[in-house]
Amino acid sequence: MPFRIPRPISPTFTRLLGAQGLSQLGVGFHLAAFPLLVSTLTTDPLVVATTALASVVPGIVLALPVGAWVDRAHRGRLMVGSDLSCAAVLLALTVLVLTRHIHLWMLISAAVLLGCAEFVFGVSTYALLPNLVTPDELPRANSLLSVVGQTGAGIVGPALGAISFGLAKYLPFAVNTATYLGSAATIATFVAGSDTRAQPPIGLRRTGRRELLAGLTYLKSHRPIRALVVLPAVAGFFGWMPEATFVLFVRDHLGIDAAGFGVLLGATTIGAVVGGLLTGPLAKKVGTVRTLCVTYILYGLLLIPVGVVRNPVVLGVLFFVQGLPLIACNATVRSLQQQMIPNDLLGRVGAVNRLAYSAITPLGLAAGGFIATWLGYPAVWIIAGCGFLAAFVFNLPAIRSLNTTEGDSRGAAVAGDV
């Protein structure tokens, strides 16, 4: 059968994808440049770690109010505003670095502000996507957004960011400013003049505890949807465990040098991109729920043999294959959530989802460090794989019930025009 290029999902989604590519490329620039700049101002590990964690805090502290805001405001304009806010912060950083007036407290403040804006952008994108594509296209759309994000923020951006920092310290922040402006301009072309609010705006008196907790209340009474939040959070705990000591595992346990470490990281990333491109066609062929089940089981199983394999070539192949289900795991979960959660609650449930994942990730990293200290590096991978599979099995009864719900939602849902 001759190879056929998949047709574009929609012109509007194509523009969103382009905006995602621009902004995530810029994120990759500052992911590399931030720690490099911090290292020129201090060598204190605690300060460096504080700067790295500063961007995570807003997602934990502001999750509930941001979710309510996204459900009551114009989601597209929130995305444009978030991009412009990031551009303003990075432009200020560019000037401060260029004039040599930069201080650590400024970098930490910038990380917090960027974290706030990026969190609003992420929740808004999650809630807006069902208005741009049909329910059947959600797995493909989510996977393509993840592929573009992974490529920009995980591969191309950091490499170019590090290179540009070596040329001039201000350069990666200046480029990042331009990418956010480009993203904002692209999004503005399809949200201007439209109303993407799920509900009319409400006064401050009605934005009370009930509104803020509506997402949690909904999850409490809908077990299948609750499983779609619990599963990625708990599985993420085990999935992040090996990351804490990965560099030490490669260097000290396997005896692989820095170049080999980079190859192993690249193998996983390439596998994730390839798998992400295959997620949409696979979900259309076998269904979103089955795709979720296959990818979660596959990823959990592939964590375990890393603890016993020592051959670098075999490990490289294993990491590539391990990367294949990475994007699919998250894309299928998001797609099912977007298909089944009422539009006026997508922002709040999406914020709770991000809150759970953000809060549990540091715990997984810490657990990986403790296990490596007590039981050794191989034990981290074996326990992580078994725990990942256990999280899936625990949520399996609720996930199996999604087959019926998914079919019902596909028949009832219609993508809105923006």
Side-chain angles (χ1 to χ4, degrees), residues 93-142:
L93 268 182
T94 301
V95 174
L96 289 169
V97 174
L98 186 60
T99 58
R100 299 183 180 180
H101 287 90
I102 192 70
H103 299 285
L104 275 173
W105 69 267
M106 297 176 182
L107 280 176
I108 294 173
S109 300
V112 172
L113 292 173
L114 288 171
C116 290
E118 289 169 356
F119 185 78
V120 173
F121 186 93
V123 176
S124 300
T125 305
Y126 167 89
L128 179 65
L129 189 59
N131 294 102
L132 306 183
V133 303
T134 63
D136 284 347
E137 291 285 11
L138 280 171
R140 184 180 166 206
N142 278 304

mmCIF file of all heavy atoms in Angstrom, residues 93-142:
data_model
loop_
_atom_site.group_PDB
_atom_site.id
_atom_site.type_symbol
_atom_site.label_atom_id
_atom_site.label_comp_id
_atom_site.label_asym_id
_atom_site.label_seq_id
_atom_site.Cartn_x
_atom_site.Cartn_y
_atom_site.Cartn_z
ATOM 1 N N LEU A 93 13.921 40.223 30.871
ATOM 2 C CA LEU A 93 15.135 39.446 31.156
ATOM 3 C C LEU A 93 16.232 39.746 30.140
ATOM 4 O O LEU A 93 17.412 39.872 30.491
ATOM 5 C CB LEU A 93 14.817 37.949 31.135
ATOM 6 C CG LEU A 93 14.433 37.281 32.442
ATOM 7 C CD1 LEU A 93 14.210 35.787 32.217
ATOM 8 C CD2 LEU A 93 15.486 37.487 33.502
ATOM 9 N N THR A 94 15.852 39.847 28.878
ATOM 10 C CA THR A 94 16.819 40.140 27.819
ATOM 11 C C THR A 94 17.533 41.454 28.098
ATOM 12 O O THR A 94 18.768 41.546 28.008
ATOM 13 C CB THR A 94 16.111 40.216 26.453
ATOM 14 O OG1 THR A 94 15.454 38.981 26.193
ATOM 15 C CG2 THR A 94 17.118 40.489 25.343
ATOM 16 N N VAL A 95 16.762 42.473 28.454
ATOM 17 C CA VAL A 95 17.341 43.792 28.738
ATOM 18 C C VAL A 95 18.242 43.732 29.971
ATOM 19 O O VAL A 95 19.349 44.301 29.988
ATOM 20 C CB VAL A 95 16.223 44.841 28.924
ATOM 21 C CG1 VAL A 95 16.806 46.174 29.372
ATOM 22 C CG2 VAL A 95 15.429 45.002 27.637
ATOM 23 N N LEU A 96 17.780 43.031 31.017
ATOM 24 C CA LEU A 96 18.559 42.944 32.259
ATOM 25 C C LEU A 96 19.887 42.212 32.041
ATOM 26 O O LEU A 96 20.930 42.618 32.570
ATOM 27 C CB LEU A 96 17.738 42.234 33.337
ATOM 28 C CG LEU A 96 16.548 43.018 33.894
ATOM 29 C CD1 LEU A 96 15.657 42.122 34.744
ATOM 30 C CD2 LEU A 96 17.043 44.209 34.719
ATOM 31 N N VAL A 97 19.840 41.131 31.263
ATOM 32 C CA VAL A 97 21.077 40.391 30.988
ATOM 33 C C VAL A 97 22.000 41.219 30.100
ATOM 34 O O VAL A 97 23.223 41.272 30.321
ATOM 35 C CB VAL A 97 20.755 39.035 30.321
ATOM 36 C CG1 VAL A 97 22.046 38.336 29.892
ATOM 37 C CG2 VAL A 97 19.971 38.145 31.280
ATOM 38 N N LEU A 98 21.429 41.885 29.112
ATOM 39 C CA LEU A 98 22.222 42.692 28.183
ATOM 40 C C LEU A 98 22.913 43.845 28.905
ATOM 41 O O LEU A 98 24.066 44.183 28.594
ATOM 42 C CB LEU A 98 21.320 43.224 27.072
ATOM 43 C CG LEU A 98 21.983 43.978 25.911
ATOM 44 C CD1 LEU A 98 22.982 43.082 25.189
ATOM 45 C CD2 LEU A 98 20.922 44.473 24.938
ATOM 46 N N THR A 99 22.217 44.452 29.889
ATOM 47 C CA THR A 99 22.791 45.585 30.624
ATOM 48 C C THR A 99 23.526 45.143 31.894
ATOM 49 O O THR A 99 23.989 45.996 32.654
ATOM 50 C CB THR A 99 21.668 46.573 31.014
ATOM 51 O OG1 THR A 99 20.673 45.895 31.800
ATOM 52 C CG2 THR A 99 21.017 47.156 29.760
ATOM 53 N N ARG A 100 23.580 43.820 32.129
ATOM 54 C CA ARG A 100 24.296 43.252 33.285
ATOM 55 C C ARG A 100 23.735 43.741 34.618
ATOM 56 O O ARG A 100 24.472 44.002 35.562
ATOM 57 C CB ARG A 100 25.794 43.564 33.196
ATOM 58 C CG ARG A 100 26.454 42.988 31.957
ATOM 59 C CD ARG A 100 27.934 43.239 31.938
ATOM 60 N NE ARG A 100 28.538 42.674 30.734
ATOM 61 C CZ ARG A 100 29.840 42.740 30.438
ATOM 62 N NH1 ARG A 100 30.670 43.340 31.274
ATOM 63 N NH2 ARG A 100 30.300 42.204 29.319
ATOM 64 N N HIS A 101 22.422 43.830 34.698
ATOM 65 C CA HIS A 101 21.753 44.182 35.948
ATOM 66 C C HIS A 101 20.931 43.013 36.489
ATOM 67 O O HIS A 101 20.009 43.206 37.288
ATOM 68 C CB HIS A 101 20.835 45.394 35.731
ATOM 69 C CG HIS A 101 21.572 46.688 35.571
ATOM 70 N ND1 HIS A 101 21.987 47.168 34.345
ATOM 71 C CD2 HIS A 101 22.000 47.585 36.502
ATOM 72 C CE1 HIS A 101 22.613 48.318 34.513
ATOM 73 N NE2 HIS A 101 22.642 48.600 35.807
ATOM 74 N N ILE A 102 21.224 41.818 36.065
ATOM 75 C CA ILE A 102 20.453 40.653 36.462
ATOM 76 C C ILE A 102 20.890 40.144 37.828
ATOM 77 O O ILE A 102 22.087 40.140 38.151
ATOM 78 C CB ILE A 102 20.566 39.527 35.399
ATOM 79 C CG1 ILE A 102 19.538 38.431 35.666
ATOM 80 C CG2 ILE A 102 21.976 38.969 35.338
ATOM 81 C CD1 ILE A 102 18.143 38.822 35.405
ATOM 82 N N HIS A 103 19.920 39.757 38.660
ATOM 83 C CA HIS A 103 20.194 39.187 39.980
ATOM 84 C C HIS A 103 19.364 37.915 40.157
ATOM 85 O O HIS A 103 18.382 37.697 39.446
ATOM 86 C CB HIS A 103 19.859 40.194 41.081
ATOM 87 C CG HIS A 103 20.648 41.461 41.004
ATOM 88 N ND1 HIS A 103 21.969 41.560 41.364
ATOM 89 C CD2 HIS A 103 20.286 42.702 40.570
ATOM 90 C CE1 HIS A 103 22.406 42.788 41.181
ATOM 91 N NE2 HIS A 103 21.401 43.512 40.698
ATOM 92 N N LEU A 104 19.744 37.112 41.145
ATOM 93 C CA LEU A 104 19.064 35.833 41.354
ATOM 94 C C LEU A 104 17.577 36.014 41.646
ATOM 95 O O LEU A 104 16.741 35.263 41.148
ATOM 96 C CB LEU A 104 19.734 35.061 42.493
ATOM 97 C CG LEU A 104 20.951 34.211 42.114
ATOM 98 C CD1 LEU A 104 21.606 33.661 43.355
ATOM 99 C CD2 LEU A 104 20.525 33.084 41.187
ATOM 100 N N TRP A 105 17.239 36.999 42.469
ATOM 101 C CA TRP A 105 15.823 37.170 42.818
ATOM 102 C C TRP A 105 14.999 37.507 41.576
ATOM 103 O O TRP A 105 13.818 37.150 41.492
ATOM 104 C CB TRP A 105 15.655 38.239 43.893
ATOM 105 C CG TRP A 105 15.939 39.648 43.471
ATOM 106 C CD1 TRP A 105 17.109 40.327 43.574
ATOM 107 C CD2 TRP A 105 15.004 40.563 42.872
ATOM 108 N NE1 TRP A 105 16.995 41.599 43.089
ATOM 109 C CE2 TRP A 105 15.703 41.779 42.651
ATOM 110 C CE3 TRP A 105 13.661 40.482 42.517
ATOM 111 C CZ2 TRP A 105 15.096 42.888 42.072
ATOM 112 C CZ3 TRP A 105 13.055 41.581 41.944
ATOM 113 C CH2 TRP A 105 13.764 42.768 41.722
ATOM 114 N N MET A 106 15.625 38.175 40.611
ATOM 115 C CA MET A 106 14.933 38.477 39.368
ATOM 116 C C MET A 106 14.661 37.208 38.567
ATOM 117 O O MET A 106 13.583 37.044 37.979
ATOM 118 C CB MET A 106 15.756 39.463 38.530
ATOM 119 C CG MET A 106 15.972 40.809 39.175
ATOM 120 S SD MET A 106 17.052 41.838 38.148
ATOM 121 C CE MET A 106 17.166 43.317 39.163
ATOM 122 N N LEU A 107 15.645 36.312 38.539
ATOM 123 C CA LEU A 107 15.464 35.048 37.816
ATOM 124 C C LEU A 107 14.380 34.198 38.455
ATOM 125 O O LEU A 107 13.556 33.592 37.758
ATOM 126 C CB LEU A 107 16.782 34.272 37.775
ATOM 127 C CG LEU A 107 17.796 34.705 36.721
ATOM 128 C CD1 LEU A 107 19.083 33.899 36.870
ATOM 129 C CD2 LEU A 107 17.240 34.542 35.334
ATOM 130 N N ILE A 108 14.370 34.145 39.785
ATOM 131 C CA ILE A 108 13.346 33.356 40.479
ATOM 132 C C ILE A 108 11.968 33.964 40.232
ATOM 133 O O ILE A 108 10.990 33.254 39.968
ATOM 134 C CB ILE A 108 13.659 33.278 41.988
ATOM 135 C CG1 ILE A 108 14.961 32.480 42.214
ATOM 136 C CG2 ILE A 108 12.502 32.639 42.743
ATOM 137 C CD1 ILE A 108 15.445 32.479 43.640
ATOM 138 N N SER A 109 11.881 35.290 40.288
ATOM 139 C CA SER A 109 10.601 35.962 40.009
ATOM 140 C C SER A 109 10.143 35.695 38.578
ATOM 141 O O SER A 109 8.958 35.440 38.325
ATOM 142 C CB SER A 109 10.749 37.474 40.223
ATOM 143 O OG SER A 109 11.119 37.764 41.560
ATOM 144 N N ALA A 110 11.089 35.745 37.633
ATOM 145 C CA ALA A 110 10.750 35.471 36.234
ATOM 146 C C ALA A 110 10.254 34.049 36.059
ATOM 147 O O ALA A 110 9.294 33.796 35.312
ATOM 148 C CB ALA A 110 11.969 35.718 35.348
ATOM 149 N N ALA A 111 10.885 33.090 36.757
ATOM 150 C CA ALA A 111 10.462 31.693 36.660
ATOM 151 C C ALA A 111 9.039 31.519 37.181
ATOM 152 O O ALA A 111 8.233 30.785 36.601
ATOM 153 C CB ALA A 111 11.430 30.800 37.438
ATOM 154 N N VAL A 112 8.707 32.220 38.276
ATOM 155 C CA VAL A 112 7.350 32.132 38.830
ATOM 156 C C VAL A 112 6.340 32.729 37.859
ATOM 157 O O VAL A 112 5.271 32.147 37.594
ATOM 158 C CB VAL A 112 7.278 32.853 40.193
ATOM 159 C CG1 VAL A 112 5.831 32.944 40.680
ATOM 160 C CG2 VAL A 112 8.123 32.120 41.228
ATOM 161 N N LEU A 113 6.639 33.905 37.306
ATOM 162 C CA LEU A 113 5.720 34.561 36.376
ATOM 163 C C LEU A 113 5.517 33.721 35.113
ATOM 164 O O LEU A 113 4.391 33.585 34.617
ATOM 165 C CB LEU A 113 6.259 35.946 36.011
ATOM 166 C CG LEU A 113 6.262 36.984 37.150
ATOM 167 C CD1 LEU A 113 6.974 38.256 36.702
ATOM 168 C CD2 LEU A 113 4.838 37.296 37.590
ATOM 169 N N LEU A 114 6.610 33.164 34.593
ATOM 170 C CA LEU A 114 6.489 32.301 33.417
ATOM 171 C C LEU A 114 5.667 31.062 33.744
ATOM 172 O O LEU A 114 4.858 30.599 32.929
ATOM 173 C CB LEU A 114 7.876 31.901 32.912
ATOM 174 C CG LEU A 114 8.694 32.992 32.224
ATOM 175 C CD1 LEU A 114 10.121 32.515 31.976
ATOM 176 C CD2 LEU A 114 8.052 33.415 30.911
ATOM 177 N N GLY A 115 5.870 30.510 34.940
ATOM 178 C CA GLY A 115 5.099 29.342 35.353
ATOM 179 C C GLY A 115 3.611 29.645 35.426
ATOM 180 O O GLY A 115 2.779 28.832 35.008
ATOM 181 N N CYS A 116 3.258 30.829 35.940
ATOM 182 C CA CYS A 116 1.839 31.234 36.008
ATOM 183 C C CYS A 116 1.239 31.322 34.605
ATOM 184 O O CYS A 116 0.168 30.760 34.330
ATOM 185 C CB CYS A 116 1.714 32.586 36.703
ATOM 186 S SG CYS A 116 2.081 32.582 38.473
ATOM 187 N N ALA A 117 1.925 32.049 33.712
ATOM 188 C CA ALA A 117 1.390 32.259 32.369
ATOM 189 C C ALA A 117 1.306 30.951 31.592
ATOM 190 O O ALA A 117 0.316 30.699 30.887
ATOM 191 C CB ALA A 117 2.271 33.260 31.620
ATOM 192 N N GLU A 118 2.320 30.104 31.711
ATOM 193 C CA GLU A 118 2.316 28.839 30.973
ATOM 194 C C GLU A 118 1.247 27.893 31.506
ATOM 195 O O GLU A 118 0.666 27.103 30.755
ATOM 196 C CB GLU A 118 3.695 28.196 31.034
ATOM 197 C CG GLU A 118 4.730 28.951 30.189
ATOM 198 C CD GLU A 118 6.154 28.495 30.444
ATOM 199 O OE1 GLU A 118 6.355 27.634 31.333
ATOM 200 O OE2 GLU A 118 7.063 28.996 29.760
ATOM 201 N N PHE A 119 0.962 27.977 32.810
ATOM 202 C CA PHE A 119 -0.098 27.137 33.380
ATOM 203 C C PHE A 119 -1.462 27.559 32.831
ATOM 204 O O PHE A 119 -2.275 26.716 32.440
ATOM 205 C CB PHE A 119 -0.088 27.230 34.902
ATOM 206 C CG PHE A 119 -1.071 26.309 35.572
ATOM 207 C CD1 PHE A 119 -0.798 24.965 35.720
ATOM 208 C CD2 PHE A 119 -2.293 26.789 36.030
ATOM 209 C CE1 PHE A 119 -1.715 24.105 36.318
ATOM 210 C CE2 PHE A 119 -3.207 25.947 36.633
ATOM 211 C CZ PHE A 119 -2.915 24.604 36.776
ATOM 212 N N VAL A 120 -1.705 28.866 32.788
ATOM 213 C CA VAL A 120 -2.965 29.372 32.221
ATOM 214 C C VAL A 120 -3.091 28.962 30.756
ATOM 215 O O VAL A 120 -4.153 28.525 30.296
ATOM 216 C CB VAL A 120 -3.041 30.905 32.354
ATOM 217 C CG1 VAL A 120 -4.256 31.456 31.609
ATOM 218 C CG2 VAL A 120 -3.115 31.314 33.828
ATOM 219 N N PHE A 121 -1.997 29.070 30.016
ATOM 220 C CA PHE A 121 -2.005 28.693 28.598
ATOM 221 C C PHE A 121 -2.327 27.206 28.438
ATOM 222 O O PHE A 121 -3.141 26.820 27.593
ATOM 223 C CB PHE A 121 -0.645 28.999 27.973
ATOM 224 C CG PHE A 121 -0.588 28.770 26.482
ATOM 225 C CD1 PHE A 121 -0.835 29.808 25.605
ATOM 226 C CD2 PHE A 121 -0.283 27.519 25.963
ATOM 227 C CE1 PHE A 121 -0.787 29.604 24.225
ATOM 228 C CE2 PHE A 121 -0.240 27.293 24.598
ATOM 229 C CZ PHE A 121 -0.496 28.340 23.717
ATOM 230 N N GLY A 122 -1.694 26.362 29.247
ATOM 231 C CA GLY A 122 -1.892 24.920 29.126
ATOM 232 C C GLY A 122 -3.320 24.503 29.421
ATOM 233 O O GLY A 122 -3.914 23.708 28.684
ATOM 234 N N VAL A 123 -3.908 25.037 30.496
ATOM 235 C CA VAL A 123 -5.283 24.690 30.850
ATOM 236 C C VAL A 123 -6.255 25.235 29.797
ATOM 237 O O VAL A 123 -7.223 24.567 29.421
ATOM 238 C CB VAL A 123 -5.640 25.238 32.253
ATOM 239 C CG1 VAL A 123 -7.104 24.960 32.588
ATOM 240 C CG2 VAL A 123 -4.753 24.596 33.316
ATOM 241 N N SER A 124 -5.978 26.432 29.287
ATOM 242 C CA SER A 124 -6.844 27.020 28.263
ATOM 243 C C SER A 124 -6.806 26.207 26.977
ATOM 244 O O SER A 124 -7.843 25.983 26.335
ATOM 245 C CB SER A 124 -6.413 28.465 27.976
ATOM 246 O OG SER A 124 -6.502 29.267 29.128
ATOM 247 N N THR A 125 -5.628 25.754 26.576
ATOM 248 C CA THR A 125 -5.498 24.937 25.368
ATOM 249 C C THR A 125 -6.260 23.625 25.518
ATOM 250 O O THR A 125 -6.983 23.200 24.613
ATOM 251 C CB THR A 125 -4.017 24.636 25.073
ATOM 252 O OG1 THR A 125 -3.292 25.861 24.984
ATOM 253 C CG2 THR A 125 -3.862 23.865 23.771
ATOM 254 N N TYR A 126 -6.108 22.997 26.679
ATOM 255 C CA TYR A 126 -6.803 21.739 26.971
ATOM 256 C C TYR A 126 -8.318 21.921 26.862
ATOM 257 O O TYR A 126 -9.028 21.085 26.277
ATOM 258 C CB TYR A 126 -6.410 21.290 28.379
ATOM 259 C CG TYR A 126 -7.249 20.185 28.965
ATOM 260 C CD1 TYR A 126 -6.919 18.849 28.753
ATOM 261 C CD2 TYR A 126 -8.360 20.475 29.764
ATOM 262 C CE1 TYR A 126 -7.685 17.835 29.311
ATOM 263 C CE2 TYR A 126 -9.122 19.463 30.324
ATOM 264 C CZ TYR A 126 -8.782 18.141 30.090
ATOM 265 O OH TYR A 126 -9.542 17.149 30.636
ATOM 266 N N ALA A 127 -8.835 23.031 27.408
ATOM 267 C CA ALA A 127 -10.281 23.260 27.404
ATOM 268 C C ALA A 127 -10.788 23.717 26.046
ATOM 269 O O ALA A 127 -11.944 23.468 25.689
ATOM 270 C CB ALA A 127 -10.640 24.300 28.474
ATOM 271 N N LEU A 128 -9.937 24.394 25.263
ATOM 272 C CA LEU A 128 -10.369 24.924 23.971
ATOM 273 C C LEU A 128 -10.366 23.873 22.866
ATOM 274 O O LEU A 128 -11.179 23.941 21.931
ATOM 275 C CB LEU A 128 -9.456 26.087 23.562
ATOM 276 C CG LEU A 128 -9.738 26.761 22.214
ATOM 277 C CD1 LEU A 128 -11.108 27.446 22.235
ATOM 278 C CD2 LEU A 128 -8.645 27.755 21.872
ATOM 279 N N LEU A 129 -9.473 22.888 22.946
ATOM 280 C CA LEU A 129 -9.276 21.949 21.843
ATOM 281 C C LEU A 129 -10.560 21.264 21.370
ATOM 282 O O LEU A 129 -10.762 21.122 20.152
ATOM 283 C CB LEU A 129 -8.223 20.894 22.230
ATOM 284 C CG LEU A 129 -7.759 19.969 21.102
ATOM 285 C CD1 LEU A 129 -7.142 20.769 19.956
ATOM 286 C CD2 LEU A 129 -6.767 18.937 21.636
ATOM 287 N N PRO A 130 -11.474 20.818 22.253
ATOM 288 C CA PRO A 130 -12.699 20.185 21.758
ATOM 289 C C PRO A 130 -13.572 21.103 20.903
ATOM 290 O O PRO A 130 -14.446 20.616 20.184
ATOM 291 C CB PRO A 130 -13.432 19.783 23.050
ATOM 292 C CG PRO A 130 -12.357 19.654 24.067
ATOM 293 C CD PRO A 130 -11.370 20.713 23.724
ATOM 294 N N ASN A 131 -13.349 22.425 20.975
ATOM 295 C CA ASN A 131 -14.086 23.348 20.117
ATOM 296 C C ASN A 131 -13.473 23.460 18.722
ATOM 297 O O ASN A 131 -14.091 24.012 17.818
ATOM 298 C CB ASN A 131 -14.116 24.748 20.745
ATOM 299 C CG ASN A 131 -14.915 24.786 22.031
ATOM 300 O OD1 ASN A 131 -14.334 24.784 23.113
ATOM 301 N ND2 ASN A 131 -16.228 24.801 21.928
ATOM 302 N N LEU A 132 -12.259 22.942 18.569
ATOM 303 C CA LEU A 132 -11.542 23.097 17.298
ATOM 304 C C LEU A 132 -11.561 21.848 16.441
ATOM 305 O O LEU A 132 -11.383 21.935 15.222
ATOM 306 C CB LEU A 132 -10.080 23.494 17.559
ATOM 307 C CG LEU A 132 -9.829 24.725 18.433
ATOM 308 C CD1 LEU A 132 -8.341 24.999 18.519
ATOM 309 C CD2 LEU A 132 -10.569 25.931 17.885
ATOM 310 N N VAL A 133 -11.740 20.666 17.051
ATOM 311 C CA VAL A 133 -11.693 19.409 16.298
ATOM 312 C C VAL A 133 -12.865 18.529 16.719
ATOM 313 O O VAL A 133 -13.447 18.719 17.792
ATOM 314 C CB VAL A 133 -10.357 18.651 16.531
ATOM 315 C CG1 VAL A 133 -9.170 19.526 16.167
ATOM 316 C CG2 VAL A 133 -10.228 18.176 17.977
ATOM 317 N N THR A 134 -13.190 17.557 15.896
ATOM 318 C CA THR A 134 -14.260 16.612 16.223
ATOM 319 C C THR A 134 -13.784 15.629 17.282
ATOM 320 O O THR A 134 -12.569 15.427 17.443
ATOM 321 C CB THR A 134 -14.697 15.838 14.971
ATOM 322 O OG1 THR A 134 -13.577 15.067 14.501
ATOM 323 C CG2 THR A 134 -15.167 16.770 13.878
ATOM 324 N N PRO A 135 -14.691 14.992 18.022
ATOM 325 C CA PRO A 135 -14.278 14.032 19.053
ATOM 326 C C PRO A 135 -13.372 12.926 18.522
ATOM 327 O O PRO A 135 -12.423 12.514 19.195
ATOM 328 C CB PRO A 135 -15.613 13.473 19.558
ATOM 329 C CG PRO A 135 -16.595 14.570 19.326
ATOM 330 C CD PRO A 135 -16.157 15.225 18.051
ATOM 331 N N ASP A 136 -13.651 12.411 17.318
ATOM 332 C CA ASP A 136 -12.825 11.337 16.754
ATOM 333 C C ASP A 136 -11.403 11.781 16.460
ATOM 334 O O ASP A 136 -10.490 10.948 16.391
ATOM 335 C CB ASP A 136 -13.461 10.808 15.462
ATOM 336 C CG ASP A 136 -14.658 9.901 15.739
ATOM 337 O OD1 ASP A 136 -14.813 9.504 16.909
ATOM 338 O OD2 ASP A 136 -15.418 9.601 14.807
ATOM 339 N N GLU A 137 -11.211 13.076 16.249
ATOM 340 C CA GLU A 137 -9.881 13.585 15.918
ATOM 341 C C GLU A 137 -9.083 13.998 17.152
ATOM 342 O O GLU A 137 -7.913 14.358 17.039
ATOM 343 C CB GLU A 137 -9.993 14.789 14.976
ATOM 344 C CG GLU A 137 -10.473 14.455 13.577
ATOM 345 C CD GLU A 137 -9.390 13.793 12.731
ATOM 346 O OE1 GLU A 137 -8.345 13.406 13.290
ATOM 347 O OE2 GLU A 137 -9.600 13.659 11.512
ATOM 348 N N LEU A 138 -9.691 13.934 18.343
ATOM 349 C CA LEU A 138 -8.990 14.384 19.543
ATOM 350 C C LEU A 138 -7.698 13.608 19.822
ATOM 351 O O LEU A 138 -6.678 14.221 20.157
ATOM 352 C CB LEU A 138 -9.920 14.321 20.757
ATOM 353 C CG LEU A 138 -10.900 15.490 20.891
ATOM 354 C CD1 LEU A 138 -11.917 15.214 21.990
ATOM 355 C CD2 LEU A 138 -10.149 16.783 21.184
ATOM 356 N N PRO A 139 -7.682 12.260 19.722
ATOM 357 C CA PRO A 139 -6.404 11.561 19.966
ATOM 358 C C PRO A 139 -5.286 12.023 19.042
ATOM 359 O O PRO A 139 -4.151 12.232 19.487
ATOM 360 C CB PRO A 139 -6.765 10.087 19.731
ATOM 361 C CG PRO A 139 -8.228 10.008 19.983
ATOM 362 C CD PRO A 139 -8.784 11.304 19.490
ATOM 363 N N ARG A 140 -5.607 12.174 17.767
ATOM 364 C CA ARG A 140 -4.592 12.630 16.819
ATOM 365 C C ARG A 140 -4.162 14.064 17.117
ATOM 366 O O ARG A 140 -2.968 14.390 17.083
ATOM 367 C CB ARG A 140 -5.134 12.526 15.389
ATOM 368 C CG ARG A 140 -4.107 12.880 14.322
ATOM 369 C CD ARG A 140 -4.721 12.750 12.943
ATOM 370 N NE ARG A 140 -3.881 13.376 11.939
ATOM 371 C CZ ARG A 140 -4.311 13.867 10.791
ATOM 372 N NH1 ARG A 140 -5.600 13.780 10.501
ATOM 373 N NH2 ARG A 140 -3.492 14.420 9.945
ATOM 374 N N ALA A 141 -5.131 14.922 17.424
ATOM 375 C CA ALA A 141 -4.802 16.317 17.717
ATOM 376 C C ALA A 141 -3.930 16.429 18.965
ATOM 377 O O ALA A 141 -2.915 17.143 18.973
ATOM 378 C CB ALA A 141 -6.090 17.122 17.901
ATOM 379 N N ASN A 142 -4.294 15.715 20.032
ATOM 380 C CA ASN A 142 -3.500 15.762 21.259
ATOM 381 C C ASN A 142 -2.099 15.203 21.047
ATOM 382 O O ASN A 142 -1.121 15.733 21.578
ATOM 383 C CB ASN A 142 -4.209 14.982 22.372
ATOM 384 C CG ASN A 142 -5.281 15.801 23.061
ATOM 385 O OD1 ASN A 142 -5.012 16.880 23.569
ATOM 386 N ND2 ASN A 142 -6.503 15.297 23.084
#
